[in-house]
Amino acid sequence: MATRQKRKLGDILKEANLITEAEILEALEKKKDRQKLGDALVEQGYITEKQLIEVLEIQLGIATISLYRYPIDEQLVELVPKEVARSNILIPLELQDHTLTVAMNDPLDYFAIDDLELLTSYNVKPVMATKEDILQAINKYYDKGKIDQNDDDQAPAIQILDQILQTGVTLRASDVHLDPTEANVNVRYRVDGTLRSDRTLPKRIQNALIARVKILANLNITETRLPQDGRIRMVIDGKPIDLRVSTLPTVFGEKVVIRILDLTNIFKKLTELDFNQKTLEQYSEIIKRPSGLILLTGPTGSGKTTTLYGSINELNQEGVNIITVEDPVEYQLEGINQVQVNSNVGLTFAAGLRSILRQDPNIIMVGEIRDKETAEIAIRSSLTGHLVFSTLHTNSAIDAIPRLFDMGIEPYLVVSSLTGVMAQRLVKKICKDCKTTRPAAPLEAEIFEKRGIEISVLSEGKGCNSCRGTGYRGRMAIHELLIIDETIKKMMLERVSMSEIKEHVKEQGMAFLIDDGLAKAKQGFTTLEEVMRVAIVE
């Protein structure tokens, strides 16, 4: 077998002046059990994955490749068992002159290289790829041959669903779509808000695959003509994951959408929710008041639930009784009484809310205000000394006021109860690994100037392996917070136009969604295009 010079990652990073000995020791102290130093340094923010790869590339002369564009020899995959590939994060790529080229996330893992050489009897030549890239390639290529050849439909359905879900978690997808067509089944993932196709499966395994999902979600397998909803809780890649399953009968069979709820991601503190300092201070102040109604607004998928749960977590203490009524209960929170809406048996938001009031609550969360009855009970609850959180589907914070009036709620009730309204949207974050700056074009600078922000350069992502060439990775929230002061209460009672209220809050210095978005674009977190996509220029 090949002899190789063995070097330690810490020494290489110190030589490159990327990190100090003290920082390495600190990272080692904080790292999880069996976590590698490189992963710990990236996770704790000392270095980026790109910096790590570049240093190893220069110092060790190991090439970096982009696996999602790489033609992998599928027969070589059989040389390395799937468990070995997944646990060591590696995948064989090609074999030439008795040398096996293997993509590795950690090319300094000499134990893994030695094991591979013993296992395959070939010399191993490592190349580097990102962890995400390798895990996705493993999900894509392993078992593929078995699935294509296997006539027993049930066996591959179990393997395929495991692969599909593992890929979803690896990609940090929010949803997995199984779309039946006339000839096959398309698998698509929603990543950072954008739906993208991943693979096509043969039509013959459609029924077995959907049956497998239904069995896990405790749904009725024989019912194919009506929509069904269920949930699955499982551990994927060592992480507890909740899956919400929805089936819908279509012309070509049942379409299944699986919402992936990563339980390690939801329990965020308010300080981790991308608020600017002023909004965070104001919002923290209003949620600590003993009573009142606080509304979160925005379209589906704008992160309202995360903010609601963040707010409730902040207030969740032993001496407080918190009850929620949700449709559905997305995340199960410790120490909080959660009620699931069930319209089939008459347990609506309004009915649930009425019963909650007899349970001596301090804080109530209503998943969504959809009708006059729910709105009235929520408002009356806030007037009888409860703090009530809920959501509305409106375009801006100010639009929540006319929406409540349109529902038929008396203005005096809205005025007495409403404390604040927070509108939010999600924008894609620029990929840290390929972030670059460029001079702002005159038209772009003008948009910022109109909002009183001066700018000369803007950031964007060039596109790299980490972000699969998109230039974006992850999402962040932009907010606007309307606090109902005495002047606004008076204006609401007089039923003045919303444009007058808007003028008043502008004079008071309220930052609108566009302002928060442009400020975050100026700081280099997101792009102007993303802000303009979700925020209206006031």
Side-chain angles (χ1 to χ4, degrees):
M1 297 294 149
T3 55
R4 60 180 66 84
Q5 182 194 2
K6 298 191 178 183
R7 296 179 65 193
K8 284 186 179 171
L9 178 63
D11 296 338
I12 292 170
L13 293 172
K14 278 191 292 184
E15 277 173 40
N17 293 323
L18 272 181
I19 200 157
T20 63
E21 179 72 32
E23 287 169 331
I24 289 171
L25 293 171
E26 210 170 294
L28 286 169
E29 212 169 284
K30 286 192 223 161
K31 84 178 179 73
K32 300 170 192 157
D33 283 350
R34 301 182 65 184
Q35 188 181 31
K36 291 184 176 176
L37 175 62
D39 288 342
L41 291 169
V42 171
E43 193 179 288
Q44 292 171 33
Y46 289 109
I47 53 171
T48 66
E49 189 168 20
K50 188 187 178 193
Q51 284 176 319
L52 180 62
I53 284 172
E54 278 177 356
V55 165
L56 294 177
E57 199 170 9
I58 294 161
Q59 298 277 339
L60 302 176
I62 295 175
T64 304
I65 59 158
S66 172
L67 275 187
Y68 73 100
R69 294 187 187 134
Y70 199 91
I72 293 176
D73 184 342
E74 291 178 31
Q75 289 175 326
L76 287 181
V77 167
E78 292 172 19
L79 287 173
V80 181
K82 186 179 178 181
E83 293 66 38
V84 174
R86 279 193 75 81
S87 61
N88 294 297
I89 310 172
L90 53 83
I91 189 165
L93 301 179
E94 60 188 18
L95 180 62
Q96 221 176 0
D97 304 332
H98 212 74
T99 297
L100 183 66
T101 303
V102 178
M104 300 182 72
N105 179 236
D106 178 9
L108 293 176
D109 189 344
Y110 303 115
F111 293 113
I113 295 172
D114 290 344
D115 289 348
L116 272 187
E117 291 187 333
L118 281 168
L119 187 71
T120 62
S121 303
Y122 295 120
N123 291 327
V124 168
K125 175 189 165 193
V127 292
M128 264 184 304
T130 63
K131 185 176 186 175
E132 213 167 89
D133 248 4
I134 294 171
L135 288 174
Q136 215 192 330
I138 291 169
N139 292 337
K140 189 173 175 182
Y141 290 103
Y142 274 88
D143 302 329
K144 193 176 173 185
K146 286 185 214 167
I147 288 157
D148 292 343
Q149 296 154 15
N150 205 320
D151 292 327
D152 169 16
D153 287 350
Q154 196 57 43
I158 294 169
Q159 292 170 342
I160 292 172
L161 187 62
D162 287 350
Q163 277 183 12
I164 287 169
L165 296 176
Q166 272 180 343
T167 301
V169 172
T170 304
L171 287 174
R172 297 191 189 91
S174 59
D175 301 88
V176 182
H177 289 239
L178 305 178
D179 296 332
T181 66
E182 194 171 1
N184 45 44
V185 181
N186 290 331
V187 180
R188 297 189 294 167
Y189 295 98
R190 190 174 293 283
V191 180
D192 294 342
T194 307
L195 202 56
R196 62 187 197 207
S197 295
D198 181 74
R199 68 178 91 172
T200 304
L201 300 170
K203 185 78 176 172
R204 64 182 167 77
I205 68 153
Q206 177 181 314
N207 292 343
L209 185 63
I210 289 165
R212 175 68 184 159
V213 175
K214 285 180 166 182
I215 288 165
L216 289 174
N218 286 324
L219 301 179
N220 183 352
I221 300 178
T222 56
E223 181 55 81
T224 57
R225 296 164 303 169
L226 290 173
Q228 295 187 68
D229 291 305
R231 66 189 310 151
I232 305 166
R233 176 168 276 202
M234 61 200 308
V235 173
I236 300 174
D237 288 344
K239 281 195 261 183
I241 304 284
D242 252 8
L243 305 169
R244 253 193 22 228
V245 176
S246 167
T247 70
L248 183 73
T250 71
V251 180
F252 300 119
E254 288 175 282
K255 172 180 166 67
V256 176
V257 176
I258 302 168
R259 165 70 55 93
I260 299 176
L261 305 167
D262 184 346
L263 300 181
T264 55
N265 261 351
I266 187 65
F267 306 116
K268 288 189 169 176
K269 298 179 181 150
L270 289 180
T271 48
E272 299 171 310
L273 295 178
D274 315 308
F275 288 111
N276 68 47
Q277 197 53 40
K278 183 183 171 191
T279 306
L280 178 63
E281 284 166 12
Q282 290 177 324
Y283 185 68
S284 298
E285 189 271 315
I286 63 168
I287 69 169
K288 290 194 171 75
R289 293 181 190 177
S291 65
L293 175 64
I294 295 168
L295 293 176
L296 269 81
T297 77
T300 306
S302 57
K304 300 189 296 292
T305 306
T306 306
T307 307
L308 270 181
Y309 283 173
S311 312
I312 284 175
N313 271 334
E314 197 90 355
L315 303 168
N316 187 11
Q317 287 153 1
E318 199 184 329
V320 178
N321 180 17
I322 302 175
I323 307 182
T324 77
V325 52
E326 303 169 61
D327 180 22
V329 172
E330 289 201 18
Y331 296 95
Q332 285 149 9
L333 303 168
E334 209 170 306
I336 290 170
N337 309 287
Q338 293 169 280
V339 178
Q340 166 99 29
V341 165
N342 186 348
S343 308
N344 298 337
V345 295
L347 180 50
T348 59
F349 275 123
L353 198 42
R354 271 203 198 90
S355 306
I356 280 174
L357 291 171
R358 295 193 280 273
Q359 291 277 325
D360 182 32
N362 301 95
I363 297 165
I364 301 167
M365 178 186 122
V366 187
E368 190 184 333
I369 291 179
R370 293 178 186 167
D371 52 51
K372 180 183 177 182
E373 194 184 5
T374 311
E376 256 178 2
I377 305 167
I379 283 169
R380 290 187 189 280
S381 309
S382 69
L383 293 176
T384 53
H386 303 96
L387 181 61
V388 181
F389 289 94
S390 193
T391 68
L392 266 184
H393 286 275
T394 63
N395 286 332
S396 69
I398 290 171
D399 286 343
I401 298 169
R403 173 63 58 84
L404 291 171
F405 290 165
D406 292 345
M407 280 180 173
I409 310 293
E410 291 297 330
Y412 75 90
L413 282 176
V414 178
V415 168
S416 319
S417 61
L418 196 58
T419 308
V421 186
M422 164 100 78
Q424 74 175 60
R425 297 288 186 282
L426 292 179
V427 290
K428 291 180 195 167
K429 284 198 310 201
I430 296 170
C431 171
K432 284 181 192 166
D433 290 347
C434 60
K435 184 172 160 183
T436 178
T437 53
R438 59 168 176 81
L443 279 173
E444 292 172 325
E446 201 180 305
I447 293 168
F448 283 86
E449 275 162 28
K450 279 182 183 163
R451 309 299 300 180
I453 301 170
E454 275 187 34
I455 192 149
S456 56
V457 294
L458 283 173
S459 300
E460 61 186 12
K462 291 201 302 271
C464 65
N465 294 349
S466 301
C467 62
R468 312 200 137 243
T470 60
Y472 295 106
R473 195 159 182 229
R475 289 190 292 174
M476 73 185 305
I478 59 171
H479 308 91
E480 67 182 26
L481 178 60
L482 169 68
I483 292 178
I484 310 294
D485 62 17
E486 291 307 316
T487 311
I488 296 175
K489 286 183 178 181
K490 192 162 168 279
M491 292 168 110
M492 281 160 69
L493 276 175
E494 291 166 3
R495 297 295 289 261
V496 304
S497 70
M498 287 306 122
S499 54
E500 285 181 59
I501 293 182
K502 196 175 274 186
E503 279 310 308
H504 164 72
V505 295
K506 253 187 198 173
E507 283 164 23
Q508 297 298 304
M510 172 178 154
F512 293 93
L513 281 171
I514 185 81
D515 301 311
D516 193 32
L518 292 177
K520 281 165 180 166
K522 181 179 179 175
Q523 290 168 283
F525 294 127
T526 186
T527 60
L528 178 59
E529 287 81 358
E530 272 296 291
V531 175
M532 300 308 282
R533 182 177 63 80
V534 298
I536 305 156
V537 180
E538 303 288 342

